[in-house]
């Protein structure tokens, strides 16, 4: 005797669980781009790229390290953000909010000469690295949902090199983003007092005061490079006074500026000094949006509790179960005292045209099952699809809707059979009740068998009676567990029945 049990139902549920796990796990690999940017700006060779290299030490693979050198170097804006894998692209993108169009994937950071044919106004480089600091756990503060979003740190070409038109443009246009987290202004200690730098700073502050910042306050971080220890305090002080003075001369309110100044000389710093600079830099930068660390090991429960509202399946499920109860009630009322249309007989239909007979009988039938029309009956069996990105997508289709559709099909069959039977009534029929019973009864008995005493019906009863106060993560966990139990039970039951023949 063959004792092999086939676990068809269980297999479907298990497969859909794998899909669920995959989606949950990869939810963070697919973190969306946010709109928030932090731009690093300043004169050519001031040390902008160097600052970026220092704050991302060891995070950027050697071949992708942005070039920092003594000549005017950076030509295209470089957007840096999070990626599961380290990747570098040449992209077409003019404004921060434009969609990025990938032109090329690069294997090595290009020199200035290699990208000289690409206009800095339309092209950028995009470097994605596995650095979680770029993941804003609670979103970028602008996009509606509170899903994690990517922050972009942007290195820009320096002004004053005489080589880049982009960098000579007005600060309003190019050096302040559309949605700013902060602007990092880098200047060389020896060139602090240069006329162009002074004028640029004024131009900046004006742009800064008018730009959109997350907290309604302009966050300006100034880094004075090439500044030896003995001058650090003096130059920081001077810079602070100059900025505040100019800020007020522009009639901006002092409390609308959050200013942080750091004077340093990378060449003189110990590894520990640089580590401190790095830690402080990230803390200050992320301060307005929250420094909460992004953890990949976020539990399923945490992930589910952060799902967008429209992913919550509880209401849909409770509506569906409510409809099943209504269908059961309809089926209970469908046959009263063995009669499918109670107290009707041919005598009461005498003299009516066929059309009127049908109308009359339909009316009486609907009255018996306590419904107004056939359309609302059918509406109860509408399916509710889930978005493909939903981790429960497979489970929903292969388990939940699959089981519901058995119920729905049977219910619709009942309606169709009654409709057809009524539609075929002619004045020639002698015994109406006998006719109805002969045509409806056999199918009806089969149909009601699909509604009660099934293991799926038990699942719906548990949901209905025990689960209505559960949080979404508990609800989801319980429902998945129930589906495993029910599908295993169903497989065993079906095997047992097959054995009994
Ligand atoms: N000694 C010393 N060198 C520095 C310091 N900061 C930057 N540099 C060096 O100065 C040179 C210019 O720095 P970059 O980072 O290329 O300057 P940049 O602002 O990105 O320049 P562009 O891309 O041309 O606009 C590089 O050789 C840096 O290593 C510093 O604090 N001290
Ligand atoms: Mg540079």
């Amino acid at each position: 005797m063959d004792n092999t049990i086939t676990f068809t139902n269980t297999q479907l549920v298990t497969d859909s669980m794998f899909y669920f796990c995959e989606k949950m796990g990869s939810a963070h690999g697919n973190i969306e781009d946010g709109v928030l940017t932090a731009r690093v700006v300043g004169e050519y060779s001031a040390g902008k790229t160097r600052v970026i290299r220092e704050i991302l030490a060891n995070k950027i693979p050697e071949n992708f390290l942005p070039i920092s050198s003594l000549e005017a170097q950076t030509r295209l804006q470089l957007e840096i953000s999070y990626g599961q894998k380290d990747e570098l692209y040449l992209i077409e993108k003019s404004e921060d909010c434009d969609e990025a169009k990938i032109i090329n994937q690069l294997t090595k950071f290009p020199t200035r000469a290699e990208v000289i044919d690409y206009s800095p106004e339309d092209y950028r480089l995009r470097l994605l690295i596995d650095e979680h600091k770029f993941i804003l756990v609670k979103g970028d503060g602008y996009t509606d949902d509170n899903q994690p979003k990517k922050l972009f740190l942007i290195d820009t070409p320096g002004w004053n090199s005489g080589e880049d038109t982009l960098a000579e443009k007005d600060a309003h246009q190019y050096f302040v983003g559309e949605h700013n987290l902060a602007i990092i202004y880098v200047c060389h200690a020896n060139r602090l007092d240069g006329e162009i730098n002074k004028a640029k700073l004024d131009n900046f502050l004006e742009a800064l005061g008018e730009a959109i910042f997350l907290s309604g306050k302009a966050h300006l971080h100034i880094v004075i490079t090439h500044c030896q220890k003995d001058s650090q305090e003096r130059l920081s002080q001077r810079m602070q006074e100059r900025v505040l003075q100019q800020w007020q001369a522009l009639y901006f309110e002092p409390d609308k500026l959050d200013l942080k100044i750091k004077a340093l000389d990378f060449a003189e710093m110990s590894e520990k000094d640089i580590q401190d600079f790095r830690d402080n830099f990230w803390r200050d930068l992320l301060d307005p949006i929250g420094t909460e660390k992004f953890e990949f090991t976020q539990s399923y429960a945490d992930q589910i509790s952060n799902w967008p509202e429209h992913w919550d399946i509880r209401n849909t499920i409770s509506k569906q179960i409510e409809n099943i109860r209504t269908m059961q009630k309809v089926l209970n009322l469908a046959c009263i005292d063995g009669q499918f249309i109670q107290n009707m007989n041919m005598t009461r239909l005498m003299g009516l045209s066929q059309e009127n007979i049908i109308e009359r009988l339909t009316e009486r039938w609907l009255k018996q099952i306590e419904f107004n029309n056939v359309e609302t009956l059918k509406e109860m069996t509408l399916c509710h699809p889930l978005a493909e990105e939903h981790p429960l997508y497979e489970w929903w289709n292969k388990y939940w809707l699959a089981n519901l559709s058995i119920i729905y099909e049977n219910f619709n069959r009942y309606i169709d059979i009654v409709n057809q039977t009524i539609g075929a009534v002619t004045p020639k029929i002698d015994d109406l009740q006998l006719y109805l019973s002969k045509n409806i009864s056999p199918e009806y008995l089969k149909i009601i068998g699909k509604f009660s005493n099934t293991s799926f019906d038990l699942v719906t009863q548990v949901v209905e009676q025990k689960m209505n106060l559960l949080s979404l993560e508990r609800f989801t966990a319980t429902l998945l567990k129930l589906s495993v139990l029910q599908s295993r039970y169903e497989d065993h039951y079906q095997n047992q029945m097959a054995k009994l023949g």
Side-chain angles (χ1 to χ4, degrees), residues 44-50 68-69 72-74 158 225-226 265-267:
Y44 84 99
S45 282
K48 301 178 291 300
T49 306
R50 175 78 182 258
S68 158
S69 76
Q73 188 49 248
T74 306
T225 59
H226 301 85
D265 183 352
F266 286 120

Side-chain angles (χ1 to χ4, degrees), residues 213-363:
F213 278 84
L214 193 66
S215 53
K217 202 177 193 180
H219 293 269
L220 175 62
H221 300 240
I222 298 181
V223 182
I224 305 171
T225 59
H226 301 85
C227 183
Q228 284 163 357
K229 273 215 166 62
D230 51 359
S231 331
Q232 289 176 354
E233 212 178 306
R234 185 172 49 86
L235 290 192
S236 301
Q237 193 77 32
R238 177 149 22 117
M239 193 58 158
Q240 166 128 4
E241 281 160 16
R242 186 184 297 168
V243 170
L244 291 181
Q245 214 172 26
Q246 189 57 30
W247 185 257
Q248 283 177 4
L250 289 163
Y251 299 105
F252 294 133
E253 289 167 34
D255 65 351
K256 286 274 185 287
L257 177 67
D258 179 32
L259 176 63
K260 301 230 160 53
I261 302 180
K262 176 79 191 163
L264 49 74
D265 183 352
F266 286 120
E268 276 188 352
M269 290 163 86
S270 67
E271 191 38 52
K272 181 181 177 301
D273 293 338
I274 292 185
Q275 185 60 46
D276 288 346
F277 166 72
R278 193 177 294 143
D279 293 344
N280 290 336
F281 179 91
W282 281 107
R283 201 200 49 227
D284 290 345
L285 178 69
L286 297 174
D287 184 53
I289 188 126
T291 45
E292 195 179 323
K293 279 216 178 88
F294 182 82
E295 296 293 345
F296 269 101
T297 48
Q298 204 184 17
S299 67
Y300 280 1
D302 284 346
Q303 289 186 51
I304 295 175
S305 64
N306 278 325
W307 274 358
E309 221 167 284
H310 65 277
W311 277 16
D312 189 341
I313 52 170
R314 286 173 298 181
N315 276 342
T316 308
I317 286 189
S318 106
K319 187 78 209 148
Q320 288 167 332
I321 295 179
E322 202 182 301
N323 284 341
I324 295 178
R325 299 296 165 250
T326 310
M327 292 179 212
Q328 286 171 330
K329 190 178 143 210
V330 165
L331 290 174
N332 286 338
L333 293 169
C335 185
I336 298 174
D337 301 332
Q339 298 188 342
F340 286 94
I341 304 178
Q342 213 188 0
N343 296 334
M344 278 307 283
N345 52 45
M346 292 314 287
T347 323
R348 297 179 70 175
L349 299 171
M350 200 122 59
L352 294 180
S353 67
Q354 168 125 26
E355 204 181 318
N356 286 341
I357 290 177
I358 294 171
E359 204 176 294
R360 186 77 181 278
L361 288 175
T362 306
E363 208 176 275

Side-chain angles (χ1 to χ4, degrees), residues 435-484:
Y435 163 83
L436 291 174
S437 172
K438 221 169 91 192
N439 285 287
I440 302 174
S441 213
E443 279 299 308
Y444 170 74
L445 292 174
K446 276 192 222 158
I447 290 167
I448 51 173
K450 303 283 181 194
F451 272 81
S452 39
N453 293 327
T454 68
S455 54
F456 184 72
D457 190 50
L458 286 178
V459 173
T460 63
Q461 285 180 40
V462 176
V463 176
E464 192 177 33
Q465 290 162 22
K466 306 273 182 207
M467 288 168 58
N468 48 24
L469 291 178
L470 294 188
S471 59
L472 182 58
E473 62 275 17
R474 283 176 181 277
F475 182 90
T476 309
T478 312
L479 198 55
L480 289 179
K481 182 91 192 191
L482 281 173
S483 68
V484 174

